[in-house]
Amino acid sequence: DGGITQSPKYLFRKEGQNVTLSCEQNLNHDAMYWYRQDPGQGLRLIYYSQIVNDFQKGDIAEGYSVSREKKESFPLTVTSAQKNPTAFYLCASSFTPTATRNEKLFFGSGTQLSVL
Amino acid sequence: AQSVTQPDIHITVSEGASLELRCNYSYGATPYLFWYVQSPGQGLQLLLKYFSGDTLVQGIKGFEAEFKRSQSSFNLRKPSVHWSDAAEYFCAVGASGTYKYIFGTGTRLKVLA
Protein backbone atom coordinates (compact mmCIF):
# COMPACT_ATOMS: atom_id res chain seq x y z
CA ASP A 1 0.00 0.00 0.00
CA GLY A 2 1.19 3.50 -0.76
CA GLY A 3 1.69 5.93 2.02
CA ILE A 4 3.98 8.00 4.19
CA THR A 5 6.13 6.41 6.87
CA GLN A 6 7.52 8.44 9.73
CA SER A 7 10.02 7.10 12.21
CA PRO A 8 10.57 6.84 15.03
CA LYS A 9 7.16 7.16 16.67
CA TYR A 10 8.74 8.61 19.84
CA LEU A 11 12.06 10.39 20.15
CA PHE A 12 13.88 11.94 23.07
CA ARG A 13 16.47 14.65 22.78
CA LYS A 14 19.13 15.60 25.27
CA GLU A 15 20.16 19.22 25.64
CA GLY A 16 22.62 20.26 22.96
CA GLN A 17 21.89 17.28 20.78
CA ASN A 18 20.74 17.23 17.18
CA VAL A 19 18.12 14.64 16.26
CA THR A 20 16.77 13.55 12.88
CA LEU A 21 13.21 12.55 12.09
CA SER A 22 12.68 10.29 9.12
CA CYS A 23 9.95 10.67 6.48
CA GLU A 24 9.62 8.33 3.51
CA GLN A 25 6.83 8.22 0.91
CA ASN A 26 6.11 5.77 -1.89
CA LEU A 27 3.30 7.78 -3.46
CA ASN A 28 5.53 9.25 -6.16
CA HIS A 29 4.66 12.73 -4.88
CA ASP A 30 6.79 15.68 -5.86
CA ALA A 31 5.99 17.88 -2.86
CA MET A 32 6.77 17.11 0.77
CA TYR A 33 6.17 19.13 3.92
CA TRP A 34 7.08 19.19 7.59
CA TYR A 35 4.59 20.54 10.11
CA ARG A 36 4.90 21.09 13.84
CA GLN A 37 1.83 20.54 16.00
CA ASP A 38 1.51 21.98 19.48
CA PRO A 39 -1.63 21.61 21.60
CA GLY A 40 -4.13 24.36 20.79
CA GLN A 41 -2.01 25.82 17.99
CA GLY A 42 -2.91 23.74 14.99
CA LEU A 43 -0.25 22.90 12.41
CA ARG A 44 2.59 25.23 11.53
CA LEU A 45 4.77 24.78 8.48
CA ILE A 46 8.49 24.25 9.12
CA TYR A 47 9.86 23.44 5.66
CA TYR A 48 8.54 22.30 2.33
CA SER A 49 10.09 20.86 -0.81
CA GLN A 50 8.62 21.09 -4.27
CA ILE A 51 11.18 18.90 -5.99
CA VAL A 52 14.34 16.91 -5.34
CA ASN A 53 17.33 19.01 -4.23
CA ASP A 54 15.13 22.01 -3.51
CA PHE A 55 13.43 23.12 -0.30
CA GLN A 56 12.06 26.33 1.18
CA LYS A 57 11.59 27.67 4.68
CA GLY A 58 8.11 27.75 6.09
CA ASP A 59 6.78 29.90 8.91
CA ILE A 60 8.89 28.47 11.76
CA ALA A 61 12.14 27.18 10.19
CA GLU A 62 14.56 28.50 12.82
CA GLY A 63 16.36 25.68 14.60
CA TYR A 64 15.48 23.10 11.95
CA SER A 65 17.16 21.80 8.79
CA VAL A 66 16.10 19.46 6.00
CA SER A 67 17.44 17.73 2.91
CA ARG A 68 15.79 16.31 -0.18
CA GLU A 69 18.33 14.09 -1.92
CA LYS A 70 15.74 11.58 -3.08
CA LYS A 71 12.16 12.04 -4.17
CA GLU A 72 10.98 9.52 -1.57
CA SER A 73 12.75 10.97 1.45
CA PHE A 74 12.56 14.27 3.35
CA PRO A 75 14.33 14.00 6.73
CA LEU A 76 14.04 16.76 9.30
CA THR A 77 16.85 17.58 11.73
CA VAL A 78 15.99 19.36 14.94
CA THR A 79 19.15 21.17 15.92
CA SER A 80 20.37 22.31 19.31
CA ALA A 81 19.40 25.83 18.26
CA GLN A 82 15.73 24.88 18.60
CA LYS A 83 15.18 25.73 22.25
CA ASN A 84 11.65 24.40 22.54
CA PRO A 85 11.55 21.26 20.41
CA THR A 86 8.91 19.31 22.33
CA ALA A 87 6.05 18.82 19.89
CA PHE A 88 4.34 16.39 17.54
CA TYR A 89 5.93 16.48 14.08
CA LEU A 90 3.96 15.60 10.99
CA CYS A 91 5.30 14.91 7.54
CA ALA A 92 2.99 15.33 4.56
CA SER A 93 3.14 15.06 0.80
CA SER A 94 1.12 16.04 -2.24
CA PHE A 95 1.36 15.12 -5.91
CA THR A 96 2.00 18.69 -7.00
CA PRO A 97 3.49 21.51 -4.97
CA THR A 98 0.60 23.91 -5.35
CA ALA A 99 -2.96 23.90 -4.09
CA THR A 100 -5.21 22.98 -6.97
CA ARG A 101 -8.69 21.58 -7.31
CA ASN A 102 -7.42 18.01 -7.41
CA GLU A 103 -4.90 18.29 -4.63
CA LYS A 104 -4.82 17.32 -1.01
CA LEU A 105 -2.21 16.58 1.62
CA PHE A 106 -1.39 13.02 2.66
CA PHE A 107 -0.01 12.75 6.20
CA GLY A 108 2.26 10.34 8.03
CA SER A 109 1.40 9.13 11.53
CA GLY A 110 3.75 11.56 13.24
CA THR A 111 6.74 11.61 15.59
CA GLN A 112 6.45 12.83 19.17
CA LEU A 113 9.67 14.57 20.17
CA SER A 114 10.37 15.22 23.84
CA VAL A 115 13.29 16.77 25.69
CA LEU A 116 15.03 14.80 28.45
CA ALA B 1 -3.79 37.78 5.36
CA GLN B 2 -5.24 34.33 5.04
CA SER B 3 -6.51 32.74 8.22
CA VAL B 4 -8.75 29.98 9.51
CA THR B 5 -10.72 30.19 12.75
CA GLN B 6 -12.29 27.31 14.60
CA PRO B 7 -14.08 29.01 17.49
CA ASP B 8 -14.82 25.85 19.47
CA ILE B 9 -11.83 24.23 21.17
CA HIS B 10 -13.85 21.40 22.69
CA ILE B 11 -17.29 20.01 21.86
CA THR B 12 -19.12 17.21 23.67
CA VAL B 13 -22.12 15.44 22.18
CA SER B 14 -24.04 12.31 23.02
CA GLU B 15 -23.84 9.33 20.72
CA GLY B 16 -26.64 9.54 18.14
CA ALA B 17 -26.92 13.32 18.41
CA SER B 18 -26.25 15.65 15.51
CA LEU B 19 -22.97 17.53 15.19
CA GLU B 20 -21.87 20.81 13.71
CA LEU B 21 -18.27 22.04 13.88
CA ARG B 22 -17.67 25.63 12.89
CA CYS B 23 -15.00 27.02 10.60
CA ASN B 24 -14.53 30.57 9.36
CA TYR B 25 -11.86 31.61 6.91
CA SER B 26 -10.32 34.76 5.58
CA TYR B 27 -9.08 34.64 2.00
CA GLY B 28 -9.15 37.11 -0.88
CA ALA B 29 -10.30 34.74 -3.60
CA THR B 30 -12.36 31.57 -3.71
CA PRO B 31 -10.46 29.23 -1.44
CA TYR B 32 -9.87 25.54 -1.51
CA LEU B 33 -11.35 24.29 1.78
CA PHE B 34 -10.69 21.08 3.64
CA TRP B 35 -11.71 19.21 6.75
CA TYR B 36 -9.27 16.73 8.26
CA VAL B 37 -9.69 14.39 11.24
CA GLN B 38 -6.93 13.29 13.60
CA SER B 39 -7.10 10.42 16.08
CA PRO B 40 -4.78 10.68 19.11
CA GLY B 41 -1.14 10.19 18.21
CA GLN B 42 -1.91 9.81 14.53
CA GLY B 43 -1.66 11.81 11.34
CA LEU B 44 -4.48 13.68 9.65
CA GLN B 45 -6.99 12.05 7.34
CA LEU B 46 -8.99 14.01 4.77
CA LEU B 47 -12.74 13.99 5.39
CA LEU B 48 -13.82 16.20 2.52
CA LYS B 49 -12.81 19.15 0.37
CA TYR B 50 -14.44 22.00 -1.52
CA PHE B 51 -13.11 23.70 -4.65
CA SER B 52 -16.10 25.04 -6.52
CA GLY B 53 -19.60 24.20 -7.63
CA ASP B 54 -22.15 22.64 -5.32
CA THR B 55 -21.79 24.30 -1.93
CA LEU B 56 -22.79 21.16 -0.03
CA VAL B 57 -19.95 18.67 -0.04
CA GLN B 58 -20.21 15.04 0.98
CA GLY B 59 -17.29 13.29 2.61
CA ILE B 60 -16.30 10.02 4.17
CA LYS B 61 -17.75 8.55 7.36
CA GLY B 62 -21.11 10.27 6.82
CA PHE B 63 -19.78 13.82 7.15
CA GLU B 64 -20.82 16.77 5.03
CA ALA B 65 -19.89 20.44 4.94
CA GLU B 66 -21.53 23.54 3.53
CA PHE B 67 -19.64 26.42 1.96
CA LYS B 68 -21.28 29.79 2.60
CA ARG B 69 -19.43 32.56 0.81
CA SER B 70 -21.48 35.34 2.41
CA GLN B 71 -20.50 34.14 5.87
CA SER B 72 -16.97 32.98 4.99
CA SER B 73 -17.82 29.69 6.63
CA PHE B 74 -17.32 26.02 5.93
CA ASN B 75 -19.05 24.17 8.76
CA LEU B 76 -18.81 20.41 9.15
CA ARG B 77 -21.94 18.42 10.01
CA LYS B 78 -22.99 14.89 10.78
CA PRO B 79 -26.62 13.91 11.47
CA SER B 80 -25.85 11.15 13.97
CA VAL B 81 -22.53 10.88 15.79
CA HIS B 82 -20.90 7.54 16.59
CA TRP B 83 -18.51 6.91 19.50
CA SER B 84 -15.74 6.31 16.94
CA ASP B 85 -16.05 9.91 15.74
CA ALA B 86 -14.27 11.13 18.89
CA ALA B 87 -11.14 12.83 17.56
CA GLU B 88 -9.74 16.24 16.72
CA TYR B 89 -11.02 18.00 13.63
CA PHE B 90 -9.09 20.55 11.61
CA CYS B 91 -10.37 22.96 9.02
CA ALA B 92 -7.84 24.14 6.44
CA VAL B 93 -7.66 26.50 3.48
CA GLY B 94 -5.40 26.05 0.49
CA ALA B 95 -4.22 29.19 -1.22
CA SER B 96 -4.78 28.54 -4.90
CA GLY B 97 -1.59 28.16 -6.91
CA THR B 98 0.71 28.17 -3.90
CA TYR B 99 2.25 25.64 -1.54
CA LYS B 100 0.40 27.22 1.35
CA TYR B 101 -2.14 25.29 3.42
CA ILE B 102 -3.36 27.13 6.50
CA PHE B 103 -4.84 25.12 9.34
CA GLY B 104 -7.20 26.11 12.10
CA THR B 105 -6.36 25.33 15.71
CA GLY B 106 -8.66 22.32 15.79
CA THR B 107 -11.82 21.25 17.62
CA ARG B 108 -11.64 18.26 19.92
CA LEU B 109 -14.81 16.19 19.85
CA LYS B 110 -15.86 14.03 22.78
CA VAL B 111 -18.72 11.58 22.38
CA LEU B 112 -20.73 10.44 25.38
CA ALA B 113 -22.15 6.92 25.36
Side-chain angles (χ1 to χ4, degrees), chain B residues 97-111:
Chain B
T98 78
Y99 67 90
K100 196 89 169 174
Y101 292 86
I102 300 162
F103 288 82
T105 53
T107 297
R108 186 169 295 278
L109 174 65
K110 182 177 180 180
V111 180

Side-chain angles (χ1 to χ4, degrees), chain A residues 9 37 59 98-99 101 105 108, chain B residues 36 38 41 43 51 97-98 100:
Chain A
K9 183 68 174 173
Q37 184 178 17
D59 300 318
T98 57
R101 62 189 301 116
L105 293 175
Chain B
Y36 285 88
Q38 183 183 35
F51 292 121
T98 78
K100 196 89 169 174

Side-chain angles (χ1 to χ4, degrees), chain B residues 48-105:
Chain B
L48 48 79
K49 60 183 179 182
Y50 171 80
F51 292 121
S52 66
D54 193 348
T55 57
L56 187 63
V57 181
Q58 301 297 321
I60 63 171
K61 305 186 180 186
F63 286 92
E64 66 178 25
E66 186 172 13
F67 171 63
K68 292 185 177 180
R69 183 188 302 275
S70 62
Q71 299 177 20
S72 297
S73 69
F74 188 56
N75 294 349
L76 182 71
R77 300 196 294 249
K78 187 170 185 177
S80 178
V81 171
H82 188 262
W83 64 266
S84 61
D85 293 325
E88 190 155 22
Y89 292 79
F90 291 92
C91 181
V93 60
S96 175
T98 78
Y99 67 90
K100 196 89 169 174
Y101 292 86
I102 300 162
F103 288 82
T105 53

Side-chain angles (χ1 to χ4, degrees), chain A residues 2-4 25-33 49-52 68 70-74 92-97 102-107:
Chain A
I4 301 178
Q25 55 99 358
N26 60 4
L27 299 167
N28 199 33
H29 285 174
D30 281 325
M32 297 188 74
Y33 311 77
S49 169
Q50 300 184 48
I51 199 169
V52 174
R68 185 86 187 276
K70 298 187 299 181
K71 187 175 186 177
E72 302 79 19
S73 179
F74 192 41
S93 71
S94 61
F95 188 67
T96 62
N102 296 317
E103 265 302 353
K104 66 177 183 180
L105 293 175
F106 291 77
F107 285 86

